[in-house]
């Protein structure tokens, strides 16, 4: 007998695939095995036993077999022969029945030819048909497991599913939910149900989020008491699983080949069932025990009418009825499968019940083949989908990242990164992390928090523990903030710095920081943005005093003008974009400091002359050539600092003398050749920088500047210094390097307060020993060639080297 195991390859699939076999597929698989056994049993009987037994209906007269052909013409074959005479031998046993005078080979020949010619084809091939149909059923049921386009997706899905099911992170995430208070769960479910009605707009009362990011539930801070539940290896494995699930979802949701393949093979099975029932019902009666065989083989056997007995007829008849019953059950199951396929929307899968049960509200619904696979999994065990859903949740992924982050960045490790920033605040810089560690909020002495290139930053309510926090820097970070954290920042945050690549990354909550005093924005603001699209809400920053825009705006936004009543300092660094229409500056009557850097200005804007409170003006890196308008600065009585450096100014007009309030004047990096003596009538100047020009001569009137403390003519063409320079006895910094000087006057010893002297790059051969009278000058503040320094007496050198 043929073993059924020989047909295993037609239905064999990986054991893990059983999770994609719903009850009807399992049931039909068992039916297929039973039908296969029927076919194998029938085929075995066909092979091992006689198929048919035939006898002639008439008997010929006894004669030699060789004379039969001639005798057939003269003897009436229809007349029965008389019985043979009794044998003379008393020991011979009498034979009963009719003598046919046929040998065994002739009977075998008659049986074979009657089996082929007279027996109905259905009776002959019934077991083979059963076998073939059953194998087709088995192939159809498992074809989607074998087809290359679908099997690869199924294998990938089963692999990920098993890892997600067994992952310690899945168990932890669900156990945290199951440990919540039941009343809290009910409240969450009610909230979700209310949010599902279209008449109500869902609102997030616990989060303030940016436009480019999804919401995150309120409970985000990982409980540090359970932080050790996952070791580092398990955390990394779970992190890798999240990435695999994302890529698999993106790949599988693109098409519906799995769904189409399953539908087609089910439809094929239904059609096969109808065909089998149709022709089998009509042909089962053809399986008869007695068969009449009329074949003209009289020349070989002497007979042409035979009566045959189909030995398997009774058994085949019973097997066929059993087979039809099984096929009917199989077909009805397939019809139910079709009903299930078309009645339900299997290309969409909702995790609503999982969201309500687990409280993980951001589990997304899926579609196409991903949805179909999950529907199939639910027929096996819904727990698989529930555990798999954990790895579809951004909340769950962020919790895992947060857990790993907290384990990596302990409080002690963070304290090692503390430093004092330029504003003398205790600052913690964090760069390129996967998130913001919760341990940051345990450093209560922190004053400034600087975050750079960190995605998905979540500022939780625990930031309220940082009672000393005043400054926050967000450089290329996507930030979400808890409502309680926002309330804390509204009251405590004084300085906010935001660096962005796209204006949509600007956190919308920054406009509500009512106590904010300084705002620094670094990033590209397009032409449309300057027309009050993004910055229109600055008017709510009632305490804003300092504003920096390092961008590419073509004009000053109206939003900036809206805060002009209390704005005191404004810095615009325009990266070469021409700044026009500066009339709005006139409204900033309280402005004390103004920087217009790299704005492609060709003239000094007239609007500046209306800023009567202005104290400092910086027009660095513009395209100024003429500054005749400088005379209008005489109306700015409070103007003390004027920086016109990095321009193309060729001369200084004489009426600069009217700016008598100037204390700091910078003309470096221009093209000035001549210094007017009227410049030194601004006798309050304490800082004068004329470096990197083409100046050849210093007027002796410089001696009038008795308040001068800083003087620089580095990188000019000066050949000599007037002795009047040394009358400026308050001078602390003197930079005369990279000129054409050959002699340094001994009168330099009059500068008793000199702490920094640069002479390198000149043509000096010796240094005057009077430098020893400059008691405050040390070697570290003396920029000179080593060889030239050696020309000083040894005691002076030792004096300078001594701290």
């Amino acid at each position: 007998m043929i073993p059924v195991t020989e047909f295993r390859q037609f239905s064999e699939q990986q054991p893990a695939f059983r999770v994609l076999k719903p009850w009807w597929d399992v049931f039909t698989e068992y039916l297929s095995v039973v039908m296969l056994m029927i076919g194998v049993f029938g085929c075995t009987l066909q092979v091992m036993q006689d198929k048919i037994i035939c006898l002639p209906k008439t008997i010929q007269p006894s004669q030699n077999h060789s004379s039969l052909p001639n005798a057939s013409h003269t003897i009436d074959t229809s007349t029965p022969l008389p019985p043979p005479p009794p044998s003379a031998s008393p020991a011979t046993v009498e034979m009963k029945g009719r003598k046919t005078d046929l040998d065994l080979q002739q009977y075998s020949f008659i049986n074979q030819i009657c089996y082929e010619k007279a027996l109905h084809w259905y009776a002959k091939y019934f077991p083979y048909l059963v076998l073939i149909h059953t194998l087709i059923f088995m192939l159809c049921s498992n074809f989607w497991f074998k087809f290359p386009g679908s099997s690869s997706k199924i294998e990938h899905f089963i692999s990920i599913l098993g890892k997600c099911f067994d992952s310690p992170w899945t168990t932890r995430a669900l156990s945290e939910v199951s440990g919540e208070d039941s009343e809290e769960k009910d409240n969450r479910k009610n909230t979700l149900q209310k949010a599902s009605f279209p008449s109500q707009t869902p609102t997030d009362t616990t989060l303030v989020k940016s436009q480019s990011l999804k919401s995150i539930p309120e409970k985000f801070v990982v409980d540090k008491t359970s932080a050790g539940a996952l070791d580092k290896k398990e955390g990394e494995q779970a992190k890798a699983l999240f990435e695999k699930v994302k890529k698999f979802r993106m790949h599988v949701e693109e098409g519906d080949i799995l769904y189409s393949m399953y539908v087609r093979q089910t439809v094929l099975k239904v059609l096969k069932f109808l065909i089998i029932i149709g022709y089998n019902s009509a042909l089962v009666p053809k399986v008869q025990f007695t068969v009449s065989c009329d074949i003209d083989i009289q020349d070989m056997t002497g007979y042409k009418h035979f009566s045959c007995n189909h030995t398997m007829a009774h058994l085949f008849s019973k097997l066929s009825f059993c087979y039809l019953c099984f096929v009917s059950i199989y077909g009805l199951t397939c019809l139910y499968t079709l009903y299930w396929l078309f009645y339900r929307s299997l290309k969409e899968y909702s995790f609503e019940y999982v969201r309500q049960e687990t409280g993980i509200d951001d589990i997304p619904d899926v579609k196409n083949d991903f949805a179909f696979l999950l529907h199939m999994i639910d027929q096996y065990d819904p727990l698989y989908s529930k555990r798999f859903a954990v790895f579809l949740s951004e909340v769950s992924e962020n919790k895992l990242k947060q857990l790993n982050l907290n384990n990596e960045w302990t409080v002690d490790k963070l304290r090692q990164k503390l430093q004092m920033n330029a504003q003398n605040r205790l600052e913690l810089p964090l760069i390129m992390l996967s998130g913001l560690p919760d341990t940051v909020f345990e450093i209560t002495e922190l004053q400034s928090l600087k975050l750079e290139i960190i995605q998905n930053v979540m500022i939780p309510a625990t930031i309220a523990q940082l009672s000393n926090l005043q400054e926050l820097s967000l450089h290329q970070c996507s930030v979400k903030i808890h409502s309680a954290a926002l309330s804390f920042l509204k009251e405590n945050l004084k300085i906010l710095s935001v660096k962005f690549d796209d204006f949509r990354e600007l956190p919308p909550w920054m406009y509500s920081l009512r106590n904010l005093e300084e705002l620094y924005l670094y990033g590209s603001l397009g032409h449309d943005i300057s027309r009050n699209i993004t910055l229109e809400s600055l008017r709510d920053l009632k305490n804003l005093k300092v504003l920096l825009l390092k961008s590419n705006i073509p004009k000053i936004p109206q939003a900036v003008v809206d805060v002009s009543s209390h704005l005191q300092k404004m810095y615009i660094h325009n990266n070469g974009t021409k700044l026009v229409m500066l009339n709005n500056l006139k409204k900033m009557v309280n402005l004390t400091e103004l920087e217009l850097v790299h704005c492609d200005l060709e003239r000094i804007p007239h609007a500046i002359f209306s800023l009567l409170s202005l104290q400092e003006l910086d027009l660095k890196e513009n395209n100024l050539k003429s500054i005749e308008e400088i005379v209008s600065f005489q109306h700015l009585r409070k103007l003390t600092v004027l920086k016109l450096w990095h321009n193309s100014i060729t001369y200084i007009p004489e009426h600069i003398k009217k700016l008598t309030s100037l204390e700091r004047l910078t003309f470096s990096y221009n093209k000035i050749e001549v210094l007017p003596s009227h410049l030194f009538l601004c006798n309050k100047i304490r800082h004068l920088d004329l470096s990197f020009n083409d100046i050849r001569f210093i007027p002796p009137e410089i001696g009038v500047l008795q308040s001068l403390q800083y003087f620089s003519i580095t990188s000019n063409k000066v050949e000599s210094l007037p002795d009047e320079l040394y009358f400026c006895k308050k001078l602390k910094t003197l930079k005369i390097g990279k000129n054409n000087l050959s002699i340094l006057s001994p009168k330099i010893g009059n500068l008793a307060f000199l702490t920094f002297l640069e002479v390198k790059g000149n043509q000096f051969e010796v240094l005057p020993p009077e430098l020893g009278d400059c008691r405050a000058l040390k070697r570290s503040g003396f920029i000179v060639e080593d060889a030239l320094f050696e020309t000083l007496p040894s005691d002076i050198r030792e004096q300078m080297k001594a701290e």
Side-chain angles (χ1 to χ4, degrees):
M1 186 172 181
I2 303 175
V4 180
T5 54
E6 294 294 331
F7 300 94
R8 181 185 303 171
Q9 58 179 329
F10 293 99
S11 62
E12 184 178 13
Q13 69 270 345
Q14 298 183 21
F17 286 4
R18 68 182 183 277
V19 297
L20 291 178
K21 296 180 78 68
W23 68 264
W24 53 80
D25 279 351
V26 176
F27 182 60
T28 53
E29 187 173 305
Y30 283 112
L31 290 177
S32 297
V33 173
V34 174
M35 291 187 290
L36 185 64
M37 292 177 66
I38 292 175
V40 172
F41 180 63
C43 291
T44 304
L45 292 178
Q46 287 277 68
V47 173
M48 299 182 65
Q49 298 188 15
D50 294 334
K51 302 180 179 70
I52 193 171
I53 300 175
C54 300
L55 291 174
K57 291 184 179 181
T58 58
I59 300 177
Q60 295 284 2
S62 179
Q63 54 185 323
N64 292 335
H65 182 71
S66 60
S67 64
L68 283 175
N70 294 329
S72 63
H73 295 287
T74 59
I75 299 176
D76 186 4
T77 58
S78 62
T79 304
L81 297 175
S87 175
S89 174
T92 303
V93 180
E94 182 179 1
M95 300 294 294
K96 296 182 179 181
R98 296 180 178 179
K99 185 176 181 181
T100 60
D101 202 22
L102 296 175
D103 56 24
L104 183 61
Q105 286 78 10
Q106 289 175 316
Y107 275 117
S108 178
F109 175 76
I110 294 170
N111 291 344
Q112 292 292 333
I113 198 168
C114 286
Y115 177 80
E116 295 294 335
K117 301 294 185 180
L119 190 63
H120 193 273
W121 67 269
Y122 182 75
K124 291 188 291 183
Y125 302 118
F126 163 74
Y128 303 106
L129 292 174
V130 172
L131 188 62
I132 292 173
H133 291 323
T134 304
L135 292 178
I136 293 176
F137 277 139
M138 297 172 71
L139 287 173
C140 289
S141 296
N142 297 281
F143 185 72
W144 73 317
F145 293 133
K146 303 291 186 179
F147 185 70
S150 57
S151 62
S152 60
K153 293 182 178 180
I154 293 174
E155 290 176 4
H156 196 184
F157 175 73
I158 295 298
S159 173
I160 295 176
L161 182 68
K163 293 177 181 178
C164 292
F165 191 88
D166 297 331
S167 174
W169 174 249
T170 310
T171 304
R172 168 171 176 159
L174 295 178
S175 64
E176 286 181 353
V177 174
S178 63
E180 293 180 351
D181 183 66
S182 60
E183 181 179 352
E184 186 178 348
K185 274 190 177 182
D186 294 338
N187 293 337
R188 184 190 295 111
K189 290 183 179 180
N190 293 335
T191 303
L192 289 174
Q193 291 172 358
K194 291 179 181 179
S196 64
F197 290 102
S199 61
Q200 299 180 359
T201 303
T203 58
D204 186 0
T205 60
T206 61
L207 277 183
V208 179
K209 57 184 179 179
S210 64
Q211 299 174 359
S212 59
L213 296 167
K214 299 179 180 178
S215 62
I216 289 184
E218 174 180 348
K219 292 191 173 182
F220 185 81
V221 180
V222 177
D223 183 9
K224 290 178 279 297
T225 59
S226 59
L230 260 69
D231 58 30
K232 184 176 181 180
K233 181 179 180 181
E234 291 172 339
E236 292 298 324
Q237 290 175 347
K239 182 179 178 181
L241 268 180
F242 273 105
E243 294 300 322
K244 288 183 179 179
V245 170
K246 283 182 182 178
K247 293 179 180 179
F248 177 77
R249 178 189 173 193
M250 186 182 302
H251 174 61
V252 175
E253 279 192 319
E254 294 177 352
D256 60 351
I257 184 174
L258 297 178
Y259 174 79
S260 301
M261 191 71 65
Y262 193 82
V263 169
R264 289 171 185 173
Q265 69 184 30
T266 304
V267 170
L268 183 59
K269 288 192 289 184
V270 171
L271 294 176
K272 190 72 175 176
F273 149 72
L274 296 176
I275 293 173
I276 292 174
I277 292 297
Y279 86 84
N280 274 271
S281 299
L283 296 179
V284 166
K286 299 296 183 180
V287 182
Q288 298 176 351
F289 185 76
T290 302
V291 179
S292 178
C293 179
D294 298 321
I295 304 175
D296 188 11
I297 54 174
Q298 189 173 355
D299 56 340
M300 302 181 66
T301 62
Y303 306 94
K304 64 179 181 179
H305 303 288
F306 304 92
S307 179
C308 302
N309 176 18
H310 184 201
T311 58
M312 299 291 105
H314 180 72
L315 181 58
F316 280 5
S317 178
K318 302 301 180 185
L319 288 177
S320 62
F321 281 114
C322 291
Y323 173 66
L324 288 178
C325 291
F326 286 123
V327 169
S328 299
I329 298 173
Y330 191 101
L332 292 175
T333 306
C334 292
L335 288 174
Y336 172 80
T337 306
L338 277 184
Y339 167 79
W340 181 78
L341 287 171
F342 294 116
Y343 175 76
R344 302 185 60 180
S345 179
L346 300 182
K347 288 188 178 182
E348 297 177 356
Y349 189 92
S350 174
F351 285 100
E352 183 64 27
Y353 78 98
V354 180
R355 291 193 286 264
Q356 293 184 6
E357 183 176 352
T358 63
I360 305 177
D361 301 335
D362 74 325
I363 301 176
D365 295 336
V366 295
K367 60 183 180 179
N368 289 337
D369 279 344
F370 201 3
F372 177 66
L373 288 172
L374 292 172
H375 280 294
M376 297 292 283
I377 287 292
D378 282 348
Q379 298 300 318
Y380 181 81
D381 188 350
L383 182 60
Y384 276 92
S385 297
K386 180 179 177 181
R387 296 179 72 89
F388 190 81
V390 172
F391 287 89
L392 292 172
S393 167
E394 184 181 352
V395 172
S396 178
E397 183 179 9
N398 288 333
K399 283 185 178 180
L400 175 65
K401 291 180 179 178
Q402 195 68 30
L403 177 64
N404 293 337
L405 198 63
N406 292 343
N407 290 337
E408 180 181 359
W409 291 93
T410 62
V411 176
D412 293 337
K413 185 175 180 180
L414 289 174
R415 288 187 186 277
Q416 295 175 3
K417 294 181 68 65
L418 291 175
Q419 60 187 30
M420 301 300 293
N421 63 11
Q423 289 73 34
N424 200 29
R425 293 189 180 94
L426 188 61
E427 183 177 81
L428 175 62
L430 297 176
I431 304 175
M432 298 183 67
L433 300 185
S434 59
L436 181 61
D438 294 329
T439 47
V440 169
F441 308 110
E442 298 181 21
I443 309 176
T444 55
E445 67 273 21
L446 192 64
Q447 295 176 310
S448 174
L449 180 59
K450 185 176 182 180
L451 308 178
E452 294 189 35
I453 318 176
I454 301 177
Q455 299 300 317
N456 300 324
V457 175
M458 175 62 193
I459 302 179
T462 51
I463 195 175
Q465 299 175 11
L466 305 180
S467 56
N468 296 315
L469 185 67
Q470 296 182 354
E471 182 177 352
L472 178 62
S473 298
L474 305 172
H475 292 184
Q476 295 179 331
C477 298
S478 54
V479 182
K480 306 164 192 165
I481 185 169
H482 192 276
S483 59
L486 180 58
S487 299
F488 171 79
L489 293 180
K490 285 181 180 179
E491 299 296 331
N492 295 271
L493 195 63
K494 303 298 182 183
I495 303 173
L496 176 63
S497 175
V498 181
K499 187 174 182 180
F500 54 92
D501 293 327
D502 192 320
F503 73 93
R504 287 169 293 190
E505 296 177 7
L506 285 172
W509 47 264
M510 77 176 187
Y511 305 114
S512 61
L513 301 175
R514 55 177 175 266
N515 287 328
L516 192 67
E517 296 180 358
E518 300 181 20
L519 177 60
Y520 302 89
L521 301 178
Y522 305 86
S524 176
L525 296 174
H527 292 268
D528 293 334
I529 306 309
S530 65
R531 290 194 279 269
N532 313 327
I533 293 180
T534 300
L535 302 178
E536 58 185 357
S537 300
L538 286 180
R539 62 174 63 93
D540 296 328
L541 306 182
K542 301 299 182 182
N543 292 309
L544 189 64
K545 298 178 181 178
V546 179
L547 175 62
L548 182 145
L549 296 177
K550 189 172 183 180
S551 184
N552 55 346
I553 55 176
K555 66 177 183 178
I556 298 177
Q558 181 62 35
V560 176
V561 181
D562 292 338
V563 295
S564 60
S565 61
H566 45 81
L567 196 63
Q568 297 180 3
K569 300 179 181 180
M570 184 173 72
Y571 312 105
I572 298 179
H573 297 202
N574 222 31
N575 297 322
T577 301
K578 190 174 185 63
L579 187 64
V580 296
M581 298 178 63
L582 295 173
N583 291 333
N584 286 335
L585 283 175
K586 296 179 179 180
K587 300 178 181 180
M588 302 182 186
V589 293
N590 293 317
L591 210 60
T592 60
E593 292 186 23
L594 176 62
E595 285 187 9
L596 301 177
V597 177
H598 210 179
C599 296
D600 196 25
L601 300 176
E602 297 180 357
R603 311 286 291 185
I604 299 177
H606 286 76
I608 297 177
F609 306 140
S610 301
L611 305 179
L612 299 181
S613 299
L614 194 64
Q615 298 177 11
E616 298 184 17
L617 176 62
D618 188 348
L619 299 179
K620 179 184 177 182
E621 292 182 348
N622 283 284
N623 195 24
L624 300 177
K625 296 180 180 178
S626 173
I627 54 172
E628 291 292 338
E629 304 90 344
I630 202 171
V631 66
S632 298
F633 282 143
Q634 63 181 316
H635 305 296
L636 307 182
R637 303 296 183 183
K638 298 181 179 179
L639 185 65
T640 58
V641 178
L642 179 60
K643 297 180 180 180
L644 300 175
W645 50 333
H646 292 270
N647 280 281
S648 301
I649 300 172
T650 56
Y651 71 97
I652 301 174
E654 292 186 359
H655 40 254
I656 194 173
K657 64 184 178 181
K658 298 181 179 180
L659 307 184
T660 56
S661 61
L662 283 181
E663 296 180 6
R664 186 183 182 101
L665 183 59
T666 301
F667 277 107
S668 59
Y669 293 93
N670 278 283
K671 299 178 181 179
I672 300 172
E673 297 182 0
V674 177
L675 286 180
S677 58
H678 298 81
L679 170 64
F680 304 106
L681 296 179
C682 304
N683 53 16
K684 292 184 180 180
I685 291 180
R686 294 184 292 107
H687 181 110
L688 181 59
D689 190 348
L690 300 171
S691 57
F692 296 92
N693 279 281
D694 296 324
I695 300 171
R696 297 178 180 273
F697 176 74
I698 304 296
E701 287 80 2
I702 191 173
V704 177
L705 304 180
Q706 291 299 306
S707 299
L708 190 64
Q709 298 180 12
Y710 179 101
F711 181 59
S712 175
I713 55 170
T714 302
S715 294
N716 278 276
K717 300 177 181 179
V718 178
E719 296 181 355
S720 64
L721 294 176
D723 290 342
E724 289 79 3
L725 173 65
Y726 307 109
F727 295 163
C728 306
K729 297 185 178 182
K730 293 183 180 180
L731 204 60
K732 295 180 180 180
T733 300
L734 178 61
K735 296 183 178 181
I736 56 176
K738 297 181 180 178
N739 279 278
N740 297 326
L741 299 172
S742 57
I743 299 176
L744 185 60
S745 173
K747 294 183 179 181
I748 195 171
N750 296 335
L751 306 179
F753 298 101
L754 194 65
T755 59
F756 187 92
L757 175 62
E758 179 188 359
V759 298
K760 188 176 183 179
N762 284 282
Q763 301 174 11
F764 297 128
E765 295 182 358
V766 294
L767 293 174
E770 285 78 7
L771 280 173
D773 296 333
C774 303
R775 299 292 181 179
L777 184 63
K778 301 298 179 184
R779 182 65 181 93
S780 58
F782 189 17
I783 310 301
V784 63
E785 292 88 346
D786 292 338
L788 188 59
F789 180 73
E790 294 297 325
T791 62
L792 288 172
S794 60
D795 57 332
I796 297 177
R797 295 199 306 268
E798 294 299 327
Q799 171 188 318
M800 289 186 177
K801 292 179 181 179
E803 294 296 334

